[in-house]
């Protein structure tokens, strides 16, 4: 898990750079877009407009995914089990980083090819780091058996143990005093009430000689 933030940061940086590098490969993007939409009969002006839309959408999509993955990663780092599965869904279904690996063989321009391929490498690397056995220990809740809600409570709560309340019917453990023995004896002597005489008799001052 200690390398997960670096893989996530690398994925975000390379994805933004890959989207920016497409502006340098505008001609290739234009050719691919024209071949994919031959039946629409676009003229040059419309085709150039569509190319501009594709380039801007790629850059905005890269920035949006960087922000979204950073928000999910915050909950991942807090130890939320459900955040790990959401991260998996976003990487595979929304970002489709597994297809980004094919960019190493897809673009003719070197820069988009390398940057897009590295985006897929770092994205899948961050995903693998989340599901290693060591990462499973990171996400395992502390004291999950004592949490309210059972297994579901362990999945939605953080891995930090908030403290288990003491069961009812049990007395708290005896507090250990840190005072010295002589200090405890002096304190007990001052707290002990004054001794009284025999019940029914009151104490009287001693009589002086000559008094009856």
């Amino acid at each position: 898990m200690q390398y997960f933030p670096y893989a996530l940061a690398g994925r975000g940086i390379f994805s933004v750079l890959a989207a920016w590098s497409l502006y340098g490969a505008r001609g290739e993007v234009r050719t691919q877009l024209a071949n994919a939409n031959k039946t629409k009969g676009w003229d040059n002006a419309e085709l150039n407009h569509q190319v501009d839309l594709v380039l801007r959408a790629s850059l905005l999509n890269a920035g949006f995914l960087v922000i979204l993955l950073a928000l999910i990663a915050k909950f991942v780092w807090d130890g939320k089990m459900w955040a790990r599965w959401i991260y998996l869904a976003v990487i595979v279904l929304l970002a489709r980083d597994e297809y980004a690996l094919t960019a190493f063989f897809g673009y003719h321009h070197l820069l988009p090819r390398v940057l897009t391929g590295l985006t897929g490498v770092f994205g899948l690397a961050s995903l693998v780091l989340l599901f290693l056995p060591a990462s499973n220990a990171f996400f395992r809740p502390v004291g999950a058996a004592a949490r309210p809600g059972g297994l579901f409570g362990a999945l939605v709560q953080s891995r930090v143990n908030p403290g288990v309340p003491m069961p009812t019917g049990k007395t708290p453990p005896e507090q250990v005093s840190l005072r010295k023995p002589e200090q405890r004896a002096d304190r007990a002597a001052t707290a002990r009430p004054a001794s009284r005489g025999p019940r029914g008799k009151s104490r009287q001052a001693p009589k002086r000689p000559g008094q009856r």
Side-chain angles (χ1 to χ4, degrees):
M1 280 299 297
Q2 59 180 342
Y3 299 108
F4 169 75
Y6 302 103
L8 177 64
R11 192 252 170 230
I13 293 173
F14 285 121
S15 64
V16 174
L17 292 178
W20 189 267
S21 67
L22 290 178
Y23 282 90
R26 182 184 179 90
E28 184 176 352
V29 175
R30 188 178 187 277
T31 301
Q32 292 180 355
L33 194 60
N35 293 335
N37 298 274
K38 289 181 179 180
T39 59
K40 295 184 178 180
W42 289 340
D43 57 6
N44 289 332
E46 180 65 23
L47 183 58
N48 291 331
H49 175 67
Q50 294 297 327
V51 170
D52 292 336
L53 291 179
V54 169
L55 296 178
R56 283 197 296 267
S58 299
L59 192 58
L60 291 175
N61 182 64
F64 169 75
L65 286 176
V66 168
I67 297 175
L68 178 61
L69 291 175
L71 290 176
I72 299 174
K74 187 267 179 187
F75 293 101
V76 169
W77 197 251
D78 288 342
K80 301 291 187 180
M81 182 73 73
W82 54 264
R84 181 165 64 162
W85 297 104
I86 292 180
Y87 187 89
L88 169 65
V90 172
I91 287 291
V92 174
L93 301 178
L94 187 60
R96 296 189 175 184
D97 282 358
E98 67 275 12
Y99 294 104
L101 294 175
T102 61
F104 283 120
F105 314 99
Y107 290 100
H108 295 291
H109 286 72
L110 179 63
L111 198 57
R113 180 192 305 178
V114 173
L115 293 176
T116 305
L118 288 176
T119 300
V121 169
F122 276 84
L124 295 180
S126 66
L127 194 59
V128 170
L129 289 172
L130 288 182
F131 288 90
L132 290 175
S135 300
N136 293 334
F138 176 85
F139 285 98
R140 185 176 298 117
V142 179
R147 292 168 185 252
L151 178 61
F152 180 76
L155 291 178
V156 299
Q157 296 181 19
S158 62
R159 63 188 179 93
V160 179
N161 189 2
V164 180
M166 184 175 300
T168 58
K170 292 187 177 181
T171 57
E174 183 181 357
Q175 296 182 357
V176 180
S177 176
L178 299 180
R179 296 177 179 271
K180 296 181 179 179
E182 56 271 13
Q183 292 179 343
R184 292 199 298 268
D186 295 341
R187 185 177 179 182
T190 55
R192 185 181 301 124
S195 59
R196 298 180 180 179
R199 186 175 298 178
K201 295 182 180 181
S202 59
R203 293 187 175 183
Q204 297 180 359
K207 296 181 179 181
R208 296 180 180 179
Q211 289 184 352
R212 293 182 179 179

